[in-house]
Amino acid sequence: MHRITGKAGGDSLIEMSPSDSFNDDINGYHQNASASAGSFQQGQSESPLTPDVCVETCESLNTSLASLAPSDHSDSPHFEDQTLERINALTGLARKRALFLKFRSRIDKQQHSKDSVFFRDGLRRIDFVLSYVDDKDGERKQERRKVYEANLVNVGLELETEDKSESEDGKTYFVKIHAPWEVLATYADVLKIKVPFKANDIPDTKEMPMNWLSTPFRLPEHVMHPEPDYFTAPFNKSKTDFFLIDDKDTFFPPSVRNRIVFYILSRCSYYRDECADKDKKGIKRLLNNGTYTAAFPLHDCRYTTRSRDANCESERYNLYKHWARFFCFFKEQPLNLIRKYYGEKIGIYFAWLGFYTEMLLFAAVVGTICFIYGFLTYDDNEWSKEICNPDTGGKIIMCPLCDKKCGYWKLNSTCNSSWQSHLFDNVATVFFAIFMGIWVTLFLEFWKRRQARLEYEWDLVDFEEEQQQLQLRPEYETKCTNRKLNRITQEMEPYLPITSKCARSCLSGATVLLWISLIIACIIGVIAYRLAVYAAFASIMKDNPTSHLQVVGPYITPQLATSVTASCINFVIIMILNLMYERVAVWITDMEIPKTHMEYENKLTVKMFLFQFVNYYSSCFYVAFFKGKFVGYPGKYEYMFGSKLRNEECDPGGCLIELTTQLVIVMTGKQVWGNIQEALVPWLMNWWGSRKARNHPESLYSRWEQDHDLQGFGQLGLFYEYLEMVIQFGFITLFVASFPLAPLLALFNNIIEVRVDAWKLTTQFRRPVAAKAHSIGAWQEILNGMAVLSVVTNAFIVAFTSDMIPRLVYMYAYQPDGEMNMKGYINNSLSVFNISEIRLANRPDDGESPSWFNSSITTCRYRDYRYPPGHEKQYSHTMQFWHILAAKLAFIIIMEHVVFLVKFFVAWMIPDVPTEVRARIKRERYLVQEYLHNYEVEKLKIQLSQNGHNDCTCTPMIYPSIKHEVLSECL
């Protein structure tokens, strides 16, 4: 093997000498015929097979005709041609039966099944599959395939094509790709893939206390496949004897093999050398323009049965049996097996999701206890008793809830909502808000430690720099035609001019702002709906017309009816905007042409999260911090933007119950819809594939044909999984003070989510291309930001949305009897208004008197702390109002400082990298230097001994203490 062109991560690939890397007879492509593979495929689609073409096909596929008896003519070229003509002339069930008989005879003779993961010789593994349909108008596509596959062969890959007549639909070709050792070794060197060079000699001293308690949750040893612990170093092709290579065929696992092949496919061109258009490269562009219909690696076996081939693994079967089934929800996840089969990026996601679910268990337990406390103290709720008491709440006449149409109403009509509010608005709410502020810190700090351990165990230390330097996006390489000198590598590399980058960034930012403005406009529309419908509900419910509903009727109030309907409408708007914005976000991110895969994901992450944050949380922010805060008072109400819509008031029991309703509907609706969408659609796809599998023999409906029908999980699929979980994380942290059961709902959802994602990935989708990632990326910083914001939001919810602070101020400072109880709180919290003093001119209507203006009722009550009529400061805020406001601000300051101090102390106490992991990393780096030094010294000794010191008259001086330099006068 020798390099003709190319550099690490550059524009061109490394060409391989066919004589060095593979044998022409084994490869399946002649040197003079490999470049004409596309013309052969074109000929198949235009006319029936000729004997000459069939001979070429049989030779290229290296079939086992030599094992057949000489008198057997069933696979002769002329007989094969006649057979294909007769089969193609048939239709319907007759054609399918003929195909089945043809395949059965071939399998019987060649002992080869299309269900195998090997080429027809049974030796070379299928590392990747390309599929295409050769349509009549596809001359340009045929030419692209011809050149592209010839270039793949020049790079060193080995190809084998399955004819369309052997496919289930009779239209699809499958090009199977194998990467020989020379190719794998070359690109493992280019990508700096870490491989073992020495067994780990550091004893594992970590012991889990009370380890026996976790035994029921563990998977057996034969499933986990614990591998020996090795020290690893980046692979170097020139030093293969330095590494622990027992078998070259299995040295690189399938996930690494398909990652290397995809790296080649993404950078291989489909233009001829004489063509001036250098922009034509990469399998993604060939998929976009329809040249190929799919490109994917194979699963190693069917998930329902073990592999029949003794040389092939059954990892997919093990993953399905012990991980992807729902009844394994209480078992640990086989993370090492997931990483080995799907790659580190997917492994990190499931490690994070599993750890997040485990930590949710503690939050769910504490939240449930707080809810039970509210339920057990149900009878101690003095203010609800006063509201429901006919002698107290039944005699308090409240001011109308809207202008003109609404009448007076009695306070005891809100009895049920007051009791419901107590379940979430009690002393335990304050404790739980503080607890969640500490919990989120522990979660993030312990995850950093878990992530650091995985980074070391999965050889991901220092991976970020490698990814930035070596794994440029093919789209960036092709679209950036300008070149500049890299000062570090001293090589010419593509770059995007600063003017173009600024213009693209401005357009992208403007697009994001436009969509965020659209969300805000929709929220304002929902608020307007709330105001209008609130007035309507208040007017029709003034005489309690819902009493005939028996059980449901008494529980329906204008506030509840408005909140529920508005939340449902808001949820529908959220889902619609999400579907529209997802495509826009991908489009504008592609337009920016990010340089690396990490940069691409980070840009897409920021755009999608900003949009989702505003989309999902804006309605909750409105209910928590704006509703009921700008109402005014009777005779001087505040109106929305000068319209006739009066701003909403909070229920006498507080706005917290409405925030709870909003949170439950949006959060639960999102989770239910997400699970239905994730499980139902793949299940229907699987059902369709299973139906075809039942109607056709297994050998005919092969696994790589079945995979061709399924959509891949893909990196964007993983991105959306992260996004869904981060949005859920926001619900259980930003607004958890209003709903302590949110972590419990999230826990149930995540238990299902882990198994649904595992089932979907293992059974429904193609095997994704393995990718490396050393962390959860930009999501880590987003989680940190939300953790800080959650302390602020929960402090404000307890202070301004809940009635906790006004109750405490009343109990300690304004209780008339000087007792530590809440008697008289309701009467104290309601102000009095004189109906005769109303000024209709201040209302933005026609000044017409409402129907209740001439009523015999002279005064009404409203929720506020203002002086009564007749006082020298009538209708202005009382001193109690300012005391309550000062107490709210003091609570916010104290809670934030306490929680932040605990957060910083916990973060300081818990190191991000465990001590033993740090020691192992240092030990590995030391051994790499030492072993490489000794390796070079030994090679030098051998070289000098072979040369016989003919050109040297001095004694070589080797200094073992110097690790990086070998000093000798002979060099």
Side-chain angles (χ1 to χ4, degrees):
M1 194 282 295
H2 60 90
R3 298 187 181 185
I4 298 177
T5 62
K7 61 184 179 65
D11 295 337
S12 55
L13 294 169
I14 302 172
E15 293 195 5
M16 314 290 290
S17 172
S19 61
D20 292 340
S21 61
F22 51 83
N23 185 295
D24 290 338
D25 294 333
I26 297 177
N27 179 38
Y29 270 74
H30 301 286
Q31 282 183 325
N32 58 354
S34 61
S36 61
S39 61
F40 156 62
Q41 295 155 358
Q42 178 181 355
Q44 283 182 325
S45 63
E46 296 292 340
S47 61
L49 290 172
T50 63
D52 294 336
V53 173
C54 190
V55 170
E56 182 180 352
T57 306
C58 294
E59 291 177 355
S60 66
L61 296 178
N62 193 25
T63 55
S64 305
L65 295 176
S67 62
L68 301 178
S71 60
D72 193 342
H73 303 290
S74 62
D75 279 298
S76 64
H78 185 66
F79 184 84
E80 180 76 10
D81 180 55
Q82 292 178 345
T83 302
L84 290 175
E85 287 183 352
R86 287 197 297 268
I87 291 177
N88 290 330
L90 299 175
T91 59
L93 293 176
R95 182 179 184 277
K96 295 175 181 178
R97 176 177 175 80
L99 277 174
F100 166 63
L101 295 175
K102 179 176 179 292
F103 276 107
R104 185 174 66 182
S105 63
R106 173 171 292 183
I107 293 168
D108 292 340
K109 293 178 181 179
Q110 299 181 8
Q111 298 299 318
H112 181 273
S113 171
K114 288 177 67 179
D115 200 44
S116 173
V117 295
F118 295 94
F119 277 23
R120 290 193 176 276
D121 57 15
L123 300 176
R124 293 171 293 167
R125 188 185 185 100
I126 302 174
D127 296 315
F128 228 86
V129 174
L130 307 179
S131 65
Y132 65 91
V133 176
D134 200 0
D135 48 31
K136 296 181 180 179
D137 301 328
E139 294 183 1
R140 294 183 60 185
K141 297 178 182 178
Q142 293 167 2
E143 180 64 22
R144 293 193 199 110
R145 287 192 292 266
K146 173 183 175 181
V147 176
Y148 185 68
E149 292 174 15
N151 288 338
L152 291 178
V153 173
N154 292 335
V155 171
L157 298 178
E158 301 176 8
L159 311 181
E160 185 177 80
T161 304
E162 288 288 335
D163 184 65
K164 67 177 181 179
S165 61
E166 298 181 353
S167 65
E168 189 274 332
D169 59 2
K171 300 178 182 179
T172 305
Y173 293 90
F174 292 95
V175 180
K176 298 175 285 186
I177 302 175
H178 169 75
W181 167 258
E182 288 292 330
V183 175
L184 294 174
T186 300
Y187 284 93
D189 192 353
V190 169
L191 297 175
K192 302 300 179 186
I193 294 174
K194 288 188 175 183
V195 294
F197 70 90
K198 182 186 182 300
N200 192 343
D201 58 359
I202 300 179
D204 189 3
T205 57
K206 64 176 183 178
E207 291 185 2
M208 203 176 202
M210 307 193 63
N211 193 26
W212 58 273
L213 289 176
S214 61
T215 302
F217 308 104
R218 297 194 171 197
L219 291 172
E221 291 284 330
H222 71 276
V223 176
M224 297 298 289
H225 289 294
E227 298 180 353
D229 193 7
Y230 293 103
F231 290 120
T232 59
F235 184 79
N236 190 327
K237 187 180 178 183
S238 62
K239 299 180 176 65
T240 54
D241 53 341
F242 174 75
F243 303 99
L244 302 178
I245 304 177
D246 295 329
D247 186 357
K248 291 184 177 180
D249 292 336
T250 60
F251 180 68
F252 294 109
S255 59
V256 175
R257 297 175 67 100
N258 72 58
R259 185 162 72 95
I260 291 175
V261 173
F262 185 73
Y263 182 87
I264 297 173
L265 294 176
S266 299
R267 285 157 177 80
C268 188
S269 63
Y270 54 93
Y271 61 84
R272 297 185 183 276
D273 293 337
E274 63 272 12
C275 181
D277 189 359
K278 304 294 185 181
D279 190 36
K280 298 180 178 179
K281 63 166 60 175
I283 186 62
K284 289 186 179 180
R285 298 195 63 174
L286 291 173
L287 292 172
N288 290 336
N289 60 33
T291 303
Y292 290 99
T293 56
F296 53 93
L298 284 180
H299 284 290
D300 60 4
C301 65
R302 296 181 184 272
Y303 64 87
T304 54
T305 56
R306 290 186 178 274
S307 176
R308 303 174 185 175
D309 196 331
N311 298 323
C312 183
E313 308 87 350
S314 297
E315 294 174 354
R316 186 191 187 192
Y317 170 79
N318 290 333
L319 286 172
Y320 170 71
K321 183 177 180 180
H322 301 283
W323 177 52
R325 296 193 299 177
F326 178 75
F327 292 106
C328 301
F329 71 91
F330 62 94
K331 293 286 188 179
E332 64 176 326
Q333 298 187 83
L335 294 178
N336 288 330
L337 188 58
I338 297 170
R339 171 245 180 173
K340 181 181 177 183
Y341 193 76
Y342 292 115
E344 289 79 1
K345 192 165 191 175
I346 291 179
I348 283 286
Y349 164 72
F350 280 103
W352 176 82
L353 181 57
F355 183 78
Y356 172 46
T357 305
E358 292 172 8
M359 291 295 292
L360 273 177
L361 177 62
F362 302 100
V365 170
V366 177
T368 304
I369 292 175
C370 293
F371 177 78
I372 293 175
Y373 171 82
F375 182 79
L376 294 178
T377 57
Y378 208 64
D379 295 334
D380 299 332
N381 185 2
E382 292 290 342
W383 54 91
S384 294
K385 290 181 179 179
E386 291 184 356
I387 291 176
C388 299
N389 190 337
D391 296 331
T392 306
K395 295 182 179 180
I396 295 178
I397 306 299
M398 302 296 295
C399 295
L401 296 173
C402 63
D403 297 332
K404 291 188 177 181
K405 296 182 180 179
C406 299
Y408 302 109
W409 55 284
K410 294 183 179 180
L411 182 61
N412 62 354
S413 64
T414 61
C415 175
N416 292 321
S417 64
S418 176
W419 284 111
Q420 295 164 7
S421 177
H422 174 72
L423 294 175
F424 308 104
D425 189 4
N426 51 66
V427 178
T429 301
V430 181
F431 167 77
F432 191 61
I434 297 174
F435 169 82
M436 288 302 296
I438 300 173
W439 174 88
V440 72
T441 303
L442 292 173
F443 164 66
L444 295 175
E445 292 301 321
F446 281 126
W447 166 246
K448 290 178 184 177
R449 291 173 60 86
R450 181 71 176 277
Q451 185 173 261
R453 192 180 298 277
L454 289 176
E455 284 184 25
Y456 171 75
E457 293 176 354
W458 293 356
D459 299 324
L460 300 172
V461 179
D462 300 328
F463 172 72
E464 182 176 2
E465 181 179 356
E466 167 197 334
Q467 186 177 19
Q468 290 286 351
Q469 293 181 356
L470 299 177
Q471 297 191 19
L472 298 179
R473 295 179 67 239
E475 294 84 356
Y476 181 84
E477 296 176 346
T478 56
K479 293 181 181 180
C480 298
T481 57
N482 299 315
R483 295 289 187 272
K484 71 175 182 180
L485 181 66
N486 188 317
R487 296 182 179 180
I488 299 176
T489 62
Q490 292 298 309
E491 295 180 353
M492 300 299 293
E493 65 176 13
Y495 82 99
L496 189 65
I498 187 66
T499 54
S500 177
K501 182 181 292 186
C502 291
R504 294 172 184 270
S505 298
C506 291
L507 179 59
S508 175
T511 305
V512 174
L513 290 177
L514 175 65
W515 278 86
I516 291 179
S517 301
L518 179 61
I519 297 174
I520 295 175
C522 292
I523 295 301
I524 293 175
V526 173
I527 293 174
Y529 163 84
R530 296 173 69 102
L531 300 181
V533 173
Y534 180 81
F537 280 133
S539 63
I540 65 176
M541 293 181 179
K542 60 183 178 181
D543 297 324
N544 198 16
T546 60
S547 58
H548 66 279
L549 297 178
Q550 295 180 355
V551 177
V552 179
Y555 293 91
I556 298 179
T557 62
Q559 291 88 347
L560 180 62
T562 302
S563 181
V564 171
T565 56
S567 299
C568 293
I569 293 174
N570 184 64
F571 175 73
V572 173
I573 294 176
I574 287 173
M575 293 294 104
I576 295 175
L577 290 177
N578 275 345
L579 294 176
M580 297 171 62
Y581 183 76
E582 285 177 0
R583 296 184 179 181
V584 175
V586 173
W587 174 76
I588 59 179
T589 306
D590 290 336
M591 180 198 63
E592 293 182 49
I593 318 179
K595 185 176 182 179
T596 63
H597 294 282
M598 178 177 291
E599 184 180 351
Y600 180 89
E601 291 189 4
N602 290 344
K603 288 179 177 291
L604 184 60
T605 297
V606 172
K607 293 179 182 62
M608 285 297 299
F609 176 74
L610 285 177
F611 177 83
Q612 298 272 32
F613 184 91
V614 178
N615 198 17
Y616 278 106
Y617 303 145
S618 55
S619 58
C620 294
F621 273 103
Y622 164 74
V623 175
F625 307 124
F626 295 96
K627 182 180 178 181
K629 306 302 185 294
F630 309 99
V631 177
Y633 60 92
K636 198 175 182 180
Y637 284 117
E638 300 291 338
Y639 294 83
M640 180 179 178
F641 304 134
S643 65
K644 296 183 179 181
L645 298 176
R646 201 171 90 187
N647 289 346
E648 283 185 283
E649 298 181 41
C650 284
D651 188 272
C655 278
L656 191 71
I657 188 64
E658 295 188 43
L659 177 59
T660 303
T661 304
Q662 179 78 23
L663 184 64
V664 169
I665 291 177
V666 177
M667 178 181 174
T668 307
K670 179 185 181 300
Q671 293 183 163
V672 171
W673 173 253
N675 287 328
I676 292 176
Q677 193 176 24
E678 289 185 10
L680 182 60
V681 174
W683 180 84
L684 290 175
M685 296 169 58
N686 181 58
W687 173 82
W688 178 252
S690 300
R691 188 183 68 84
K692 293 197 290 186
R694 289 192 299 269
N695 293 338
H696 304 90
E698 182 178 359
S699 59
L700 176 64
Y701 188 69
S702 70
R703 193 163 33 75
W704 37 271
E705 287 189 83
Q706 182 184 13
D707 289 348
H708 169 73
D709 293 335
L710 302 178
Q711 296 296 323
F713 187 76
Q715 299 306 322
L716 277 182
L718 190 63
F719 166 82
Y720 289 122
E721 298 295 338
Y722 271 120
L723 180 62
E724 179 183 358
M725 289 296 103
V726 171
I727 293 299
Q728 180 202 84
F729 180 83
F731 279 124
I732 68 166
T733 55
L734 296 178
F735 309 102
V736 73
S738 66
F739 187 46
L741 294 181
L744 183 64
L745 295 181
L747 176 64
F748 289 148
N749 175 80
N750 287 9
I751 291 174
I752 299 173
E753 182 76 20
V754 171
R755 304 304 160 178
V756 168
D757 287 347
W759 169 79
K760 186 171 56 176
L761 192 62
T762 306
T763 68
Q764 307 303 303
F765 289 150
R766 302 174 192 142
R767 185 176 186 173
V769 179
K772 299 192 78 172
H774 73 291
S775 66
I776 61 176
W779 300 112
Q780 182 76 39
E781 297 302 322
I782 290 176
L783 292 176
N784 289 332
M786 295 180 72
V788 175
L789 182 61
S790 66
V791 177
V792 179
T793 56
N794 283 296
F796 272 85
I797 287 174
V798 174
F800 288 97
T801 309
S802 167
D803 274 353
M804 182 59 58
I805 303 300
R807 291 168 190 163
L808 293 177
V809 170
Y810 171 80
M811 185 172 64
Y812 285 101
Y814 288 90
Q815 218 283 342
D817 299 330
E819 300 177 359
M820 302 295 290
N821 57 47
M822 298 298 297
K823 293 181 178 180
Y825 169 73
I826 292 299
N827 186 64
N828 177 265
S829 64
L830 299 176
S831 298
V832 181
F833 179 75
N834 187 353
I835 299 296
S836 62
E837 297 180 9
I838 191 170
R839 296 177 176 84
L840 299 177
N842 292 334
R843 290 170 34 242
D845 53 21
D846 55 6
E848 183 181 351
S849 298
S851 58
W852 46 265
F853 183 70
N854 294 323
S855 173
S856 59
I857 299 176
T858 58
T859 61
C860 63
R861 309 293 294 272
Y862 61 98
R863 181 185 171 86
D864 207 342
Y865 294 92
R866 295 180 182 272
Y867 288 110
H871 193 278
E872 60 180 2
K873 297 181 180 180
Q874 66 175 6
Y875 304 132
S876 62
H877 286 119
T878 63
M879 187 57 65
Q880 184 177 354
F881 170 84
W882 300 109
H883 287 167
I884 292 174
L885 180 60
K888 290 179 177 180
L889 297 177
F891 172 82
I892 292 173
I893 295 173
I894 293 173
M895 177 179 171
E896 288 182 354
H897 280 70
V898 169
V899 175
F900 281 135
L901 285 175
V902 174
K903 283 169 64 70
F904 293 144
F905 178 75
V906 170
W908 174 75
M909 286 289 295
I910 303 175
D912 293 345
V913 182
T915 305
E916 67 274 12
V917 173
R918 188 180 292 110
R920 286 169 181 260
I921 293 174
K922 292 180 179 179
R923 172 70 175 165
E924 183 172 293
R925 289 174 177 171
Y926 167 78
L927 288 178
V928 169
Q929 296 175 2
E930 183 181 23
Y931 273 61
L932 281 175
H933 167 259
N934 295 336
Y935 174 82
E936 295 294 343
V937 169
E938 292 298 325
K939 287 189 64 175
L940 179 60
K941 289 180 179 179
I942 295 174
Q943 181 180 359
L944 292 176
S945 63
Q946 291 176 349
N947 293 337
H949 303 280
N950 294 332
D951 300 329
C952 182
T953 60
C954 58
T955 304
M957 301 294 293
I958 306 298
Y959 297 89
S961 61
I962 301 177
K963 305 302 182 185
H964 300 289
E965 299 179 0
V966 178
L967 304 179
S968 175
E969 296 179 11
C970 301
L971 297 179

